[in-house]
Every structure is written in C-alpha cells, then in structure tokens.
Amino acid sequence: PEVLYNGCRQIARRFFHEREEGVFEFAHGNLFGLARDAPSDGAQQDFFDAMQELHRVRETVIKGFKEAIDEGFYNAWRAEFVDTQVEVENAAGEDMALVDTQSLADEVHIVSIIQHAGAPLKLSEFELTTRLSVLLPVPLSQETNPLSVMTVCNAFHDALRNLGAQRQTRHALFQGLSRSIALGLGDMQNEGNGHLVEHDVHSDRP
C-alpha cells in the first residue's frame, strides 16, 4: 500500500511542478492588463506594485503550498487529520465586527474557486478518495483527501496567508490558481485513479 500511495504522491508532485509557473504567469498577465487599462496613474501604480510583489512572494508561496500538500499526504497516512470544519463553525459564531474583512474576502474567493472547479470533478474525486482510503488506516473524506479540490485550494490559500500581500496581488494569484491548477485537477485525479486501478485498487472494494 505504501508504494502505491507514494505513487499518487509523485503524480501530484509532478502535476504541481508543471503548473506552478503558470499560476504566476497568469497572475502577471492579468495585472499587466489591469495596469494598462487603469483609470488613473495611482491605480496603474498599484497594479505595477502588485506585479513586483508577485516576484517577492513567489518562492515562499510555492514552498508553502508544496509543503502543505506533502503534509496532507503524511497526515492521511498517519491518520492525523486536522478538523478544519470545527474551525469554520467556530469562526461563524464570532462577532462579525471582529472578522478581518480582507481574510473574509479571500475566503469567499477560494470557496468560489472550489465550487466552480469542483463541480465537474465529483466522480473522479469520489473514486480517488475511495481508492486511496483502501490503502489507509482511516477512510478519507473530501476534507482529508490530499488531492481534493478543496484541500488543494485551501493549501494554496494558507501558503499565501499572512505574507502581507496586497489585495491586487492575492486576487491575481487566486485567478492563477483557478486557471492553472484547480481547473486542471481532473487530469491529475484521473491519472491517480488510473495508477491505482492498474494495481487492482478499486473504488468498490470494502
């Protein structure tokens, strides 16, 4: 089981390595277009500053994102899951006046990406979650599958969080995440499913 599980990890690593540059290229192109069409010199400078900031945060974001994905694989193998749902429910009960509006806007953006990219992936994600669960001590869910669209998008969000990046930079990167990674996750999930089926790991196995 460990060899098969690590095979899926290698598929994921290759997928993200091939697409990480596209996230920043798309973000840069998006910001350049916004700068070109900016209504004022001040607004244009904000977009130019965001383009510079992309270079500043690039290595940190990529490193943090990859580490979060690897940690998800490790936690699943060791059955050490972080209960993020409890955190969401607790946050929902807090005084909204205390909620960081910047963080809230980012959360809304990430949820939108997950919903948009995840809709066509329901079958491939379910099958991969079930097949991976065959290899693990505790069955996976969408929240704990290291290759689900929810886990991947939240990992990217966490990697960008607390870096002090301005709104234009964050939103351009979220758009790059959607275009370069989230909307292509079906290819990676299908490859992972194929790898497991090839070694006789089936989603209907108890």
Side-chain angles (χ1 to χ4, degrees), residues 5-205:
Y5 188 69
N6 285 333
C8 288
R9 189 202 305 257
Q10 292 305 316
I11 289 170
R13 284 177 172 172
R14 183 174 66 252
F15 173 84
F16 294 127
H17 179 72
E18 291 173 350
R19 291 176 178 254
E20 64 192 28
E21 188 63 34
V23 174
F24 287 82
E25 288 179 354
F26 185 86
H28 187 276
N30 181 267
L31 289 169
F32 182 83
L34 291 170
R36 181 192 56 213
D37 300 331
S40 66
D41 290 345
Q44 185 178 64
Q45 187 58 51
D46 287 342
F47 291 121
F48 283 142
D49 290 344
M51 291 164 66
Q52 295 269 340
E53 194 167 49
L54 282 178
H55 297 289
R56 178 178 68 81
V57 303
R58 182 183 182 280
E59 289 188 9
T60 303
V61 171
I62 290 176
K63 180 175 182 290
F65 175 60
K66 288 182 173 180
E67 287 177 348
I69 296 296
D70 277 344
E71 183 178 7
F73 270 97
Y74 177 83
N75 288 343
W77 184 255
R78 297 293 186 181
E80 297 171 359
F81 301 134
V82 178
D83 191 353
T84 55
Q85 185 63 36
V86 172
E87 296 175 3
V88 171
E89 290 173 352
N90 288 343
E94 295 176 353
D95 183 353
M96 290 302 294
L98 300 179
V99 175
D100 182 347
T101 56
Q102 172 181 304
S103 298
L104 184 59
D106 288 356
E107 293 282 356
V108 170
H109 206 142
I110 289 294
V111 168
S112 176
I113 294 172
I114 292 171
Q115 292 174 339
H116 178 61
L121 300 181
K122 289 183 178 179
L123 178 59
S124 63
E125 192 163 290
F126 170 79
E127 290 179 338
L128 184 58
T129 299
T130 308
R131 289 185 175 111
L132 286 173
S133 295
V134 173
L135 308 175
L136 299 170
V138 176
L140 294 175
S141 65
Q142 183 186 27
E143 291 80 8
T144 55
N145 178 353
L147 299 183
S148 73
V149 63
M150 176 183 293
T151 301
V152 170
C153 289
N154 284 333
F156 188 90
H157 183 202
D158 289 344
L160 183 57
R161 199 194 305 264
N162 300 325
L163 294 184
Q166 60 181 292
R167 177 178 57 83
Q168 291 91 338
T169 305
R170 300 193 314 276
H171 286 193
L173 283 172
F174 291 152
Q175 291 170 336
L177 166 68
S178 176
R179 179 67 63 90
S180 297
I181 291 181
L183 291 177
L185 280 174
D187 293 337
M188 179 187 65
Q189 292 179 353
N190 288 334
E191 186 176 355
N193 276 317
H195 165 70
L196 295 175
V197 169
E198 183 181 353
H199 292 86
D200 199 33
V201 180
H202 297 287
S203 58
D204 57 353
R205 182 180 298 181

